[in-house]
Amino acid sequence: MALIPDSVEATRLLLMERSRPGRRGSTLPALDVPAAPLPEKRFLRRELPLPEVSEGELVRYFTHLSHLNYAVDTGFYPLGSCTMKYNPKWHDEAASLPGFSQLHPRQDALQAQGALRLIWELQQMLGEIAGLPGCSTALAAGAQAELAGMLIARAYHRARGDGGRRRTVLVPDSAHGTNPASAAMAGFQVVTVRSNAHGDMDLEALRSALSPQVAGMMLTMPTTLGLFDAHVQEVCRIVHQAGALVYGDGANLNAILGRARYGDLGFDMVHLNLHKTFSTPHGGGGPGAGVLCVSQELAPLLPAPVVARYEGGSRPLFEAVTPPQSIGRLHGFFGNFGILVRAYCYIRSLGEAGLLQVSANAVLNANYLRVRLRSAYRLAYDRPCMHEAVFSATEQKARGVRALDIAKRLIDYGFYPPTIYFPLIVDEALMIEPTESESKETLDSFIAALLAIDRESKESPATVRDAPRRAPVRRLDETTAARRPVLRWSPAREH
Ligand SMILES: *Cc1c(COP(=O)(O)O)cnc(C)c1O
């Protein structure tokens, strides 16, 4: 089990409850300067309720708290669509090298050639991986890259004198939720295109949705169903015939890394989530990095800055430039630079053969789960999947156990729950993404837990509905937990 009940009890003792008058957690050296007078009385608060604890108590308190934090470093994290893979520690070390971490963003370009070169090489490598050579790294997340892509689509049509009438963006119902949101933020009207019975795009529905009013289509590929649409080239061709652009959501790149390139498939733009595919611990709300890759034709519109390389002198010079028709800046400087360093390390250390192994193992692991679990959990679409498998807990629901209950019960078995109720088009969805970095033994114990929960749903459904029992907190009001999080102790609050 991930949580030992004793440690849970110990943490329930809040720091204030450990406090005893006069206990100290610090020793200060004797005063060797004249004592300065205290501030005016009215600035001094006598009643400030600071805990008085020894250093040992303080260390135990925070160490216990840190153990409550589930992480990729403590266990399996099968959160579908999030690609919670293991991230090699030396990438963090590389990102903390003083030459990178202490560099001021306004440093003169001549004094920052190493960092600029790293960004330039990363642009080249990601452009090659995406099959779309223009790259901007200065975006904080996938969703922000989507917004940039939609602003590019708007600028592209406007430059062709078509901007006024192309006001619609098509989004399949198997898209990630950020896709329609980004199109709407960029001022487009969103029209949904439905999937067919196999989970692929319905080409007839696509044809009838297209018109001279359509500016583009946003296509999550592989889809949020964990499927690769074999008609994707045909889809791109049909959309292009209508004069519209195809934007790819490449956050699921883990499935096709090194095997298929968005540019070759017919996409005009794609974003890659460095914090998913290319290392970087995320999930705790830490910074991310979306990179937008576009065709040669769209490169002049990219958000600023991009790094250019000039030949001529004794050695090449790297410099930040603003593309000629840039849509502007969406993020300060070059984005979250430390994450660019980690992605660079990831790609350079794995090389081409290693990147191919990533997608091979990611897909193999997901299909292993799919086949081992399908006798107990209904598959949303019963066909080979890509890097994640989407199940539908409708049979368990008929026994009174919902996807939410299964997810909570997995916590008792020591696992982070998978994504649930997404994608929206799957009833009682359980979306499981094992990633390539998990061993067969880990997958087997996860499978055993899910099979045990299925048995419980038959024999003692109340046990599943009552979960989690072994976590420090039981079921939360998830809406207020997200909207009004309680992040610190305060004296007035009841516990
Ligand atoms: C994670 C994800 C996004 C959004 O990326 P963020 O970096 O969280 O903004 C978009 N599409 C898909 C398919 C994703 O998995």
Side-chain angles (χ1 to χ4, degrees), residues 207-246:
R207 284 201 183 86
S208 58
L210 279 164
S211 73
Q213 277 79 52
V214 176
M217 157 160 250
M218 295 185 89
L219 199 53
T220 304
M221 192 56 56
T223 65
T224 56
L225 300 167
L227 303 176
F228 191 86
D229 189 334
H231 306 100
V232 62
Q233 285 171 292
E234 175 75 355
V235 168
C236 292
R237 208 178 49 76
I238 296 172
V239 174
H240 284 154
Q241 265 175 2
L245 296 172
V246 185

mmCIF file of all heavy atoms in Angstrom, residues 207-246:
data_model
loop_
_atom_site.group_PDB
_atom_site.id
_atom_site.type_symbol
_atom_site.label_atom_id
_atom_site.label_comp_id
_atom_site.label_asym_id
_atom_site.label_seq_id
_atom_site.Cartn_x
_atom_site.Cartn_y
_atom_site.Cartn_z
ATOM 1 N N ARG A 207 -17.831 16.257 -44.629
ATOM 2 C CA ARG A 207 -18.115 16.916 -45.914
ATOM 3 C C ARG A 207 -19.279 17.885 -45.770
ATOM 4 O O ARG A 207 -19.242 18.998 -46.286
ATOM 5 C CB ARG A 207 -18.434 15.875 -46.993
ATOM 6 C CG ARG A 207 -17.182 15.179 -47.502
ATOM 7 C CD ARG A 207 -17.384 14.555 -48.883
ATOM 8 N NE ARG A 207 -16.166 13.854 -49.268
ATOM 9 C CZ ARG A 207 -15.907 12.591 -48.926
ATOM 10 N NH1 ARG A 207 -16.776 11.902 -48.210
ATOM 11 N NH2 ARG A 207 -14.776 12.025 -49.295
ATOM 12 N N SER A 208 -20.309 17.475 -45.043
ATOM 13 C CA SER A 208 -21.465 18.378 -44.979
ATOM 14 C C SER A 208 -21.215 19.550 -44.039
ATOM 15 O O SER A 208 -21.877 20.568 -44.150
ATOM 16 C CB SER A 208 -22.739 17.608 -44.618
ATOM 17 O OG SER A 208 -22.560 16.967 -43.389
ATOM 18 N N ALA A 209 -20.207 19.434 -43.142
ATOM 19 C CA ALA A 209 -19.914 20.566 -42.251
ATOM 20 C C ALA A 209 -19.022 21.607 -42.940
ATOM 21 O O ALA A 209 -18.950 22.753 -42.510
ATOM 22 C CB ALA A 209 -19.240 20.062 -40.977
ATOM 23 N N LEU A 210 -18.329 21.192 -44.006
ATOM 24 C CA LEU A 210 -17.395 22.116 -44.660
ATOM 25 C C LEU A 210 -18.131 23.113 -45.546
ATOM 26 O O LEU A 210 -19.149 22.776 -46.155
ATOM 27 C CB LEU A 210 -16.376 21.335 -45.491
ATOM 28 C CG LEU A 210 -15.222 20.762 -44.670
ATOM 29 C CD1 LEU A 210 -14.472 19.700 -45.452
ATOM 30 C CD2 LEU A 210 -14.275 21.878 -44.219
ATOM 31 N N SER A 211 -17.587 24.331 -45.580
ATOM 32 C CA SER A 211 -18.181 25.378 -46.416
ATOM 33 C C SER A 211 -17.143 26.483 -46.550
ATOM 34 O O SER A 211 -16.112 26.438 -45.883
ATOM 35 C CB SER A 211 -19.435 25.922 -45.725
ATOM 36 O OG SER A 211 -19.037 26.711 -44.614
ATOM 37 N N PRO A 212 -17.391 27.462 -47.390
ATOM 38 C CA PRO A 212 -16.421 28.573 -47.504
ATOM 39 C C PRO A 212 -16.336 29.418 -46.228
ATOM 40 O O PRO A 212 -15.517 30.317 -46.139
ATOM 41 C CB PRO A 212 -16.983 29.406 -48.673
ATOM 42 C CG PRO A 212 -17.931 28.511 -49.392
ATOM 43 C CD PRO A 212 -18.483 27.576 -48.363
ATOM 44 N N GLN A 213 -17.173 29.106 -45.236
ATOM 45 C CA GLN A 213 -17.084 29.845 -43.957
ATOM 46 C C GLN A 213 -16.098 29.198 -42.986
ATOM 47 O O GLN A 213 -15.823 29.740 -41.927
ATOM 48 C CB GLN A 213 -18.471 29.887 -43.276
ATOM 49 C CG GLN A 213 -19.389 30.981 -43.794
ATOM 50 C CD GLN A 213 -20.028 30.582 -45.109
ATOM 51 O OE1 GLN A 213 -20.619 29.524 -45.226
ATOM 52 N NE2 GLN A 213 -19.880 31.441 -46.117
ATOM 53 N N VAL A 214 -15.582 28.017 -43.352
ATOM 54 C CA VAL A 214 -14.730 27.285 -42.406
ATOM 55 C C VAL A 214 -13.268 27.725 -42.544
ATOM 56 O O VAL A 214 -12.705 27.694 -43.629
ATOM 57 C CB VAL A 214 -14.866 25.757 -42.619
ATOM 58 C CG1 VAL A 214 -13.903 25.002 -41.711
ATOM 59 C CG2 VAL A 214 -16.305 25.329 -42.344
ATOM 60 N N ALA A 215 -12.678 28.141 -41.428
ATOM 61 C CA ALA A 215 -11.276 28.577 -41.419
ATOM 62 C C ALA A 215 -10.342 27.402 -41.200
ATOM 63 O O ALA A 215 -9.205 27.406 -41.661
ATOM 64 C CB ALA A 215 -11.064 29.619 -40.320
ATOM 65 N N GLY A 216 -10.788 26.410 -40.453
ATOM 66 C CA GLY A 216 -9.890 25.300 -40.168
ATOM 67 C C GLY A 216 -10.569 24.210 -39.382
ATOM 68 O O GLY A 216 -11.732 24.300 -39.013
ATOM 69 N N MET A 217 -9.769 23.158 -39.151
ATOM 70 C CA MET A 217 -10.248 22.048 -38.339
ATOM 71 C C MET A 217 -9.183 21.757 -37.299
ATOM 72 O O MET A 217 -7.991 21.861 -37.578
ATOM 73 C CB MET A 217 -10.472 20.845 -39.240
ATOM 74 C CG MET A 217 -10.424 19.521 -38.524
ATOM 75 S SD MET A 217 -11.247 18.273 -39.478
ATOM 76 C CE MET A 217 -12.656 17.994 -38.489
ATOM 77 N N MET A 218 -9.621 21.419 -36.092
ATOM 78 C CA MET A 218 -8.671 21.008 -35.049
ATOM 79 C C MET A 218 -8.855 19.527 -34.815
ATOM 80 O O MET A 218 -9.956 19.073 -34.524
ATOM 81 C CB MET A 218 -8.933 21.765 -33.757
ATOM 82 C CG MET A 218 -8.694 23.241 -33.870
ATOM 83 S SD MET A 218 -8.872 24.056 -32.270
ATOM 84 C CE MET A 218 -7.200 23.938 -31.629
ATOM 85 N N LEU A 219 -7.763 18.802 -34.947
ATOM 86 C CA LEU A 219 -7.860 17.347 -34.916
ATOM 87 C C LEU A 219 -6.890 16.806 -33.869
ATOM 88 O O LEU A 219 -5.681 17.006 -33.989
ATOM 89 C CB LEU A 219 -7.485 16.836 -36.316
ATOM 90 C CG LEU A 219 -7.896 15.446 -36.725
ATOM 91 C CD1 LEU A 219 -9.382 15.230 -36.535
ATOM 92 C CD2 LEU A 219 -7.535 15.236 -38.203
ATOM 93 N N THR A 220 -7.419 16.176 -32.836
ATOM 94 C CA THR A 220 -6.556 15.513 -31.853
ATOM 95 C C THR A 220 -6.184 14.147 -32.422
ATOM 96 O O THR A 220 -7.053 13.334 -32.704
ATOM 97 C CB THR A 220 -7.299 15.331 -30.513
ATOM 98 O OG1 THR A 220 -7.764 16.599 -30.055
ATOM 99 C CG2 THR A 220 -6.393 14.727 -29.460
ATOM 100 N N MET A 221 -4.895 13.902 -32.618
ATOM 101 C CA MET A 221 -4.472 12.645 -33.253
ATOM 102 C C MET A 221 -3.216 12.115 -32.588
ATOM 103 O O MET A 221 -2.223 12.835 -32.558
ATOM 104 C CB MET A 221 -4.235 12.879 -34.751
ATOM 105 C CG MET A 221 -4.074 11.623 -35.550
ATOM 106 S SD MET A 221 -5.440 10.452 -35.419
ATOM 107 C CE MET A 221 -6.863 11.430 -35.900
ATOM 108 N N PRO A 222 -3.190 10.869 -32.092
ATOM 109 C CA PRO A 222 -4.336 9.998 -31.895
ATOM 110 C C PRO A 222 -5.439 10.696 -31.100
ATOM 111 O O PRO A 222 -5.170 11.591 -30.315
ATOM 112 C CB PRO A 222 -3.754 8.831 -31.098
ATOM 113 C CG PRO A 222 -2.297 8.820 -31.405
ATOM 114 C CD PRO A 222 -1.928 10.239 -31.641
ATOM 115 N N THR A 223 -6.677 10.226 -31.290
ATOM 116 C CA THR A 223 -7.820 10.878 -30.666
ATOM 117 C C THR A 223 -7.831 10.623 -29.163
ATOM 118 O O THR A 223 -7.053 9.812 -28.644
ATOM 119 C CB THR A 223 -9.143 10.316 -31.229
ATOM 120 O OG1 THR A 223 -9.232 8.941 -30.840
ATOM 121 C CG2 THR A 223 -9.188 10.411 -32.734
ATOM 122 N N THR A 224 -8.739 11.293 -28.478
ATOM 123 C CA THR A 224 -8.860 11.057 -27.034
ATOM 124 C C THR A 224 -9.452 9.686 -26.750
ATOM 125 O O THR A 224 -9.506 9.264 -25.596
ATOM 126 C CB THR A 224 -9.754 12.132 -26.368
ATOM 127 O OG1 THR A 224 -11.010 12.124 -27.031
ATOM 128 C CG2 THR A 224 -9.143 13.496 -26.474
ATOM 129 N N LEU A 225 -9.892 8.970 -27.791
ATOM 130 C CA LEU A 225 -10.333 7.591 -27.598
ATOM 131 C C LEU A 225 -9.142 6.642 -27.617
ATOM 132 O O LEU A 225 -9.303 5.424 -27.529
ATOM 133 C CB LEU A 225 -11.331 7.198 -28.698
ATOM 134 C CG LEU A 225 -12.605 8.040 -28.753
ATOM 135 C CD1 LEU A 225 -13.370 7.791 -30.045
ATOM 136 C CD2 LEU A 225 -13.488 7.720 -27.548
ATOM 137 N N GLY A 226 -7.935 7.192 -27.797
ATOM 138 C CA GLY A 226 -6.745 6.355 -27.887
ATOM 139 C C GLY A 226 -6.656 5.641 -29.221
ATOM 140 O O GLY A 226 -6.019 4.602 -29.331
ATOM 141 N N LEU A 227 -7.295 6.200 -30.235
ATOM 142 C CA LEU A 227 -7.340 5.542 -31.542
ATOM 143 C C LEU A 227 -6.652 6.392 -32.599
ATOM 144 O O LEU A 227 -6.653 7.618 -32.524
ATOM 145 C CB LEU A 227 -8.799 5.300 -31.959
ATOM 146 C CG LEU A 227 -9.650 4.479 -30.985
ATOM 147 C CD1 LEU A 227 -11.096 4.416 -31.487
ATOM 148 C CD2 LEU A 227 -9.085 3.073 -30.811
ATOM 149 N N PHE A 228 -6.063 5.707 -33.557
ATOM 150 C CA PHE A 228 -5.497 6.407 -34.710
ATOM 151 C C PHE A 228 -6.477 6.243 -35.861
ATOM 152 O O PHE A 228 -6.824 5.138 -36.241
ATOM 153 C CB PHE A 228 -4.133 5.825 -35.087
ATOM 154 C CG PHE A 228 -3.406 6.669 -36.089
ATOM 155 C CD1 PHE A 228 -2.631 7.735 -35.670
ATOM 156 C CD2 PHE A 228 -3.531 6.412 -37.444
ATOM 157 C CE1 PHE A 228 -1.979 8.547 -36.595
ATOM 158 C CE2 PHE A 228 -2.884 7.219 -38.372
ATOM 159 C CZ PHE A 228 -2.098 8.280 -37.949
ATOM 160 N N ASP A 229 -6.910 7.374 -36.394
ATOM 161 C CA ASP A 229 -7.894 7.353 -37.473
ATOM 162 C C ASP A 229 -7.167 7.090 -38.791
ATOM 163 O O ASP A 229 -6.406 7.933 -39.269
ATOM 164 C CB ASP A 229 -8.626 8.702 -37.511
ATOM 165 C CG ASP A 229 -9.816 8.691 -38.449
ATOM 166 O OD1 ASP A 229 -9.800 7.885 -39.410
ATOM 167 O OD2 ASP A 229 -10.750 9.489 -38.229
ATOM 168 N N ALA A 230 -7.411 5.909 -39.365
ATOM 169 C CA ALA A 230 -6.693 5.530 -40.587
ATOM 170 C C ALA A 230 -7.046 6.433 -41.765
ATOM 171 O O ALA A 230 -6.345 6.447 -42.769
ATOM 172 C CB ALA A 230 -6.994 4.070 -40.931
ATOM 173 N N HIS A 231 -8.110 7.228 -41.628
ATOM 174 C CA HIS A 231 -8.501 8.118 -42.727
ATOM 175 C C HIS A 231 -7.926 9.514 -42.575
ATOM 176 O O HIS A 231 -8.359 10.431 -43.254
ATOM 177 C CB HIS A 231 -10.029 8.239 -42.798
ATOM 178 C CG HIS A 231 -10.733 6.928 -42.880
ATOM 179 N ND1 HIS A 231 -11.312 6.331 -41.783
ATOM 180 C CD2 HIS A 231 -10.909 6.082 -43.915
ATOM 181 C CE1 HIS A 231 -11.831 5.181 -42.157
ATOM 182 N NE2 HIS A 231 -11.589 4.997 -43.435
ATOM 183 N N VAL A 232 -6.949 9.677 -41.697
ATOM 184 C CA VAL A 232 -6.529 11.039 -41.358
ATOM 185 C C VAL A 232 -6.012 11.806 -42.583
ATOM 186 O O VAL A 232 -6.282 13.004 -42.731
ATOM 187 C CB VAL A 232 -5.509 11.026 -40.187
ATOM 188 C CG1 VAL A 232 -4.255 10.281 -40.524
ATOM 189 C CG2 VAL A 232 -5.199 12.431 -39.733
ATOM 190 N N GLN A 233 -5.315 11.109 -43.504
ATOM 191 C CA GLN A 233 -4.823 11.823 -44.694
ATOM 192 C C GLN A 233 -5.983 12.290 -45.569
ATOM 193 O O GLN A 233 -5.953 13.391 -46.122
ATOM 194 C CB GLN A 233 -3.878 10.919 -45.496
ATOM 195 C CG GLN A 233 -2.521 10.791 -44.810
ATOM 196 C CD GLN A 233 -1.660 9.729 -45.464
ATOM 197 O OE1 GLN A 233 -1.973 8.546 -45.372
ATOM 198 N NE2 GLN A 233 -0.614 10.155 -46.125
ATOM 199 N N GLU A 234 -6.991 11.440 -45.654
ATOM 200 C CA GLU A 234 -8.184 11.789 -46.420
ATOM 201 C C GLU A 234 -8.891 12.998 -45.776
ATOM 202 O O GLU A 234 -9.322 13.922 -46.466
ATOM 203 C CB GLU A 234 -9.110 10.544 -46.445
ATOM 204 C CG GLU A 234 -10.460 10.722 -47.094
ATOM 205 C CD GLU A 234 -10.390 10.764 -48.608
ATOM 206 O OE1 GLU A 234 -9.271 10.745 -49.148
ATOM 207 O OE2 GLU A 234 -11.466 10.850 -49.237
ATOM 208 N N VAL A 235 -8.943 12.998 -44.448
ATOM 209 C CA VAL A 235 -9.561 14.112 -43.724
ATOM 210 C C VAL A 235 -8.828 15.412 -44.061
ATOM 211 O O VAL A 235 -9.450 16.431 -44.402
ATOM 212 C CB VAL A 235 -9.548 13.852 -42.194
ATOM 213 C CG1 VAL A 235 -9.917 15.110 -41.420
ATOM 214 C CG2 VAL A 235 -10.484 12.704 -41.836
ATOM 215 N N CYS A 236 -7.489 15.383 -44.002
ATOM 216 C CA CYS A 236 -6.710 16.593 -44.292
ATOM 217 C C CYS A 236 -6.979 17.064 -45.729
ATOM 218 O O CYS A 236 -7.115 18.261 -45.986
ATOM 219 C CB CYS A 236 -5.212 16.337 -44.100
ATOM 220 S SG CYS A 236 -4.765 16.062 -42.371
ATOM 221 N N ARG A 237 -7.055 16.100 -46.658
ATOM 222 C CA ARG A 237 -7.265 16.457 -48.065
ATOM 223 C C ARG A 237 -8.625 17.136 -48.231
ATOM 224 O O ARG A 237 -8.749 18.165 -48.891
ATOM 225 C CB ARG A 237 -7.184 15.182 -48.923
ATOM 226 C CG ARG A 237 -6.707 15.401 -50.356
ATOM 227 C CD ARG A 237 -6.605 14.074 -51.104
ATOM 228 N NE ARG A 237 -7.794 13.251 -50.958
ATOM 229 C CZ ARG A 237 -8.944 13.469 -51.591
ATOM 230 N NH1 ARG A 237 -9.060 14.474 -52.417
ATOM 231 N NH2 ARG A 237 -9.979 12.674 -51.390
ATOM 232 N N ILE A 238 -9.641 16.568 -47.614
ATOM 233 C CA ILE A 238 -10.999 17.124 -47.744
ATOM 234 C C ILE A 238 -11.054 18.545 -47.163
ATOM 235 O O ILE A 238 -11.633 19.458 -47.753
ATOM 236 C CB ILE A 238 -12.030 16.208 -47.037
ATOM 237 C CG1 ILE A 238 -12.089 14.841 -47.729
ATOM 238 C CG2 ILE A 238 -13.401 16.846 -47.009
ATOM 239 C CD1 ILE A 238 -12.931 13.799 -46.975
ATOM 240 N N VAL A 239 -10.400 18.736 -46.017
ATOM 241 C CA VAL A 239 -10.418 20.059 -45.373
ATOM 242 C C VAL A 239 -9.661 21.070 -46.248
ATOM 243 O O VAL A 239 -10.113 22.200 -46.466
ATOM 244 C CB VAL A 239 -9.821 19.990 -43.950
ATOM 245 C CG1 VAL A 239 -9.705 21.377 -43.342
ATOM 246 C CG2 VAL A 239 -10.674 19.081 -43.064
ATOM 247 N N HIS A 240 -8.522 20.654 -46.782
ATOM 248 C CA HIS A 240 -7.742 21.566 -47.642
ATOM 249 C C HIS A 240 -8.513 21.950 -48.902
ATOM 250 O O HIS A 240 -8.427 23.085 -49.373
ATOM 251 C CB HIS A 240 -6.408 20.912 -48.031
ATOM 252 C CG HIS A 240 -5.419 20.932 -46.901
ATOM 253 N ND1 HIS A 240 -4.408 20.017 -46.774
ATOM 254 C CD2 HIS A 240 -5.291 21.753 -45.849
ATOM 255 C CE1 HIS A 240 -3.709 20.271 -45.685
ATOM 256 N NE2 HIS A 240 -4.222 21.322 -45.105
ATOM 257 N N GLN A 241 -9.261 20.993 -49.448
ATOM 258 C CA GLN A 241 -10.056 21.288 -50.657
ATOM 259 C C GLN A 241 -11.028 22.430 -50.409
ATOM 260 O O GLN A 241 -11.354 23.178 -51.316
ATOM 261 C CB GLN A 241 -10.850 20.046 -51.067
ATOM 262 C CG GLN A 241 -10.122 19.232 -52.124
ATOM 263 C CD GLN A 241 -10.857 17.934 -52.424
ATOM 264 O OE1 GLN A 241 -11.925 17.667 -51.861
ATOM 265 N NE2 GLN A 241 -10.285 17.138 -53.304
ATOM 266 N N ALA A 242 -11.468 22.546 -49.164
ATOM 267 C CA ALA A 242 -12.418 23.614 -48.826
ATOM 268 C C ALA A 242 -11.674 24.909 -48.466
ATOM 269 O O ALA A 242 -12.291 25.866 -48.003
ATOM 270 C CB ALA A 242 -13.299 23.157 -47.672
ATOM 271 N N GLY A 243 -10.335 24.934 -48.653
ATOM 272 C CA GLY A 243 -9.567 26.152 -48.401
ATOM 273 C C GLY A 243 -9.268 26.389 -46.933
ATOM 274 O O GLY A 243 -8.827 27.467 -46.548
ATOM 275 N N ALA A 244 -9.501 25.383 -46.088
ATOM 276 C CA ALA A 244 -9.292 25.554 -44.644
ATOM 277 C C ALA A 244 -7.980 24.881 -44.219
ATOM 278 O O ALA A 244 -7.421 24.055 -44.946
ATOM 279 C CB ALA A 244 -10.472 24.957 -43.879
ATOM 280 N N LEU A 245 -7.493 25.256 -43.039
ATOM 281 C CA LEU A 245 -6.248 24.699 -42.502
ATOM 282 C C LEU A 245 -6.554 23.567 -41.527
ATOM 283 O O LEU A 245 -7.615 23.535 -40.913
ATOM 284 C CB LEU A 245 -5.464 25.787 -41.757
ATOM 285 C CG LEU A 245 -4.963 26.972 -42.600
ATOM 286 C CD1 LEU A 245 -4.387 28.062 -41.688
ATOM 287 C CD2 LEU A 245 -3.907 26.510 -43.604
ATOM 288 N N VAL A 246 -5.575 22.657 -41.387
ATOM 289 C CA VAL A 246 -5.739 21.571 -40.415
ATOM 290 C C VAL A 246 -4.752 21.774 -39.273
ATOM 291 O O VAL A 246 -3.537 21.798 -39.480
ATOM 292 C CB VAL A 246 -5.511 20.186 -41.048
ATOM 293 C CG1 VAL A 246 -5.809 19.094 -40.020
ATOM 294 C CG2 VAL A 246 -6.374 19.995 -42.279
#
